[in-house]
Amino acid sequence: MRISARADYAVRAVLELAVRQGGDPVKAEAVSEAQGIPHKFLEGILGDLRRGGIVESRRGGGGGYRLAREPGSITVADVIRAVDGPIVSVRGERPTGLTYTGTAEPLLPLWIALRANVRKILEGVTVADIAAGALPEPVRELAAEPAAWENP
């Protein structure tokens, strides 16, 4: 699985909005500057996040972006789906839409298991968790394994 630049930037933008929650709407330029995200690219991402119900926007002098929901109700999976679509796909298709025959048959349950594992992690971490620097214990345990940091 690859995390696209679009997904990475989207999660970072949502996190930036989360830590500024409660104040005035945040201008895209401020998010762009704070996170080092190219402004034009960010505008497209924010549009996708708005259509996905993750952020809301207000126009005008006091306008900008804010989260549409509480940070604790927005998962990393929600953000990625809003900008990239399905979290795990094979050749651009969801694993459940694939069919394999013969010696390749065991691949389908493998792809389904991969999707289930990725979902378990990304649906189990909220924007509030990240903003608080408090990742869930199962995520911390996985990240604490030395092999997780190696590139074989």
Side-chain angles (χ1 to χ4, degrees):
M1 175 186 173
R2 292 178 190 245
I3 304 295
S4 69
R6 188 171 190 77
D8 177 57
Y9 289 163
V11 172
R12 289 167 44 197
V14 168
L15 182 60
E16 190 66 31
L17 294 176
V19 299
R20 297 174 183 226
Q21 190 80 345
D24 292 332
V26 182
K27 301 237 181 269
E29 294 84 5
V31 174
S32 172
E33 187 175 311
Q35 290 298 318
I37 302 170
H39 182 261
K40 275 290 202 196
F41 197 31
L42 178 61
E43 285 288 350
I45 290 167
L46 289 168
D48 286 343
L49 291 170
R50 186 180 46 75
R51 285 184 289 283
I54 306 294
V55 302
E56 54 191 21
S57 62
R58 186 182 338 154
R59 294 181 179 208
Y65 294 89
R66 63 171 31 135
L67 296 181
R69 306 188 318 248
E70 287 299 312
S73 72
I74 302 170
T75 68
V76 175
D78 294 332
V79 176
I80 293 173
R81 284 185 186 114
V83 298
D84 274 352
I87 290 177
V88 174
S89 64
V90 179
R91 301 184 325 260
E93 291 186 51
R94 292 176 184 206
T96 53
L98 300 172
T99 307
Y100 292 103
T101 59
T103 57
E105 263 186 83
L107 282 176
L108 185 56
L110 174 65
W111 300 150
I112 298 294
L114 173 68
R115 180 175 74 164
N117 239 358
V118 171
R119 276 180 167 173
K120 185 186 287 188
I121 296 294
L122 297 179
E123 290 175 352
V125 179
T126 69
V127 172
D129 294 333
I130 300 169
L135 294 173
E137 185 61 28
V139 175
R140 285 191 314 231
E141 287 174 5
L142 285 170
E145 293 178 20
W149 295 85
E150 296 175 8
N151 294 322

